[in-house]
Amino acid sequence: MGTQQSKVVDAVWDTGATCSAVSRRIVKDLGLIEDGVSVKTGIAGTCVGTTTLCFAFPGNGRYSALVDADVLDDFPGAPDFIVGLDIITLGDFRLSLDKGGVVMTFVADTTLFMDMLHGDPAETQSRLARQWQRVKRIRGYMK
């Protein structure tokens, strides 16, 4: 069962993280369910479970992607969300320099994201389900 709640969170873009992760506090705030097991220790703490959520970049809530994220234990200074390679590889990521400093550009491949504003809602839900199955296969949850 899914929730219809949304929340803008502070995220860390981490090209060294294979999988994205979300804090346990955000999981509770949104009423998400930890539906998997993932015991990993990384720079942001220990992940002990997974949850599935719909992810969108700020400023363009039209396109979103289904993410099977690890759940981070809460500790002071921990990020709300870690954007890992499972999301970064859904688009073209580039760092460049200009007069103001480093500029990060991410252009999403909209064929891999769900268009939440247009199209048939049943088709959108079906595409979300297919993407979720793809993510689970990539992460080794199913064959």
Side-chain angles (χ1 to χ4, degrees):
M1 180 172 97
T3 68
Q4 294 295 317
Q5 296 186 43
S6 64
K7 186 174 189 93
V8 176
V9 300
D10 289 326
V12 173
W13 197 272
D14 188 348
T15 59
T18 305
C19 304
S20 295
V22 62
S23 75
R24 180 162 276 115
R25 181 181 56 79
I26 299 298
V27 170
K28 289 178 185 174
D29 288 353
L30 293 175
L32 300 172
I33 298 169
E34 290 187 44
D35 57 359
V37 176
S38 173
V39 180
K40 300 175 189 158
T41 301
I43 195 163
T46 302
C47 302
V48 293
T50 63
T51 190
T52 304
L53 54 94
C54 206
F55 171 89
F57 291 103
N60 189 355
R62 176 177 174 183
Y63 291 101
S64 61
L66 203 61
V67 176
D68 197 20
D70 291 332
V71 178
L72 294 170
D73 281 336
D74 294 323
F75 66 89
D80 293 333
F81 194 83
I82 294 174
V83 180
L85 288 173
D86 55 339
I87 293 173
I88 295 170
T89 57
L90 296 177
D92 184 18
F93 169 65
R94 185 179 76 184
L95 293 174
S96 58
L97 289 174
D98 74 2
K99 293 179 184 177
V102 176
V103 176
M104 184 184 91
T105 306
F106 182 75
V107 179
D109 179 348
T110 57
T111 63
L112 299 175
F113 281 71
M114 306 303 127
D115 186 340
M116 302 306 281
L117 299 179
H118 298 97
D120 178 14
E123 181 182 331
T124 298
Q125 189 162 5
S126 175
R127 287 185 69 200
L128 282 169
R130 286 193 307 271
Q131 186 183 16
W132 183 52
Q133 296 301 322
R134 178 181 154 268
V135 168
K136 287 173 71 174
R137 277 193 303 278
I138 289 169
R139 300 216 35 209
Y141 298 146
M142 48 185 293
K143 302 291 182 213

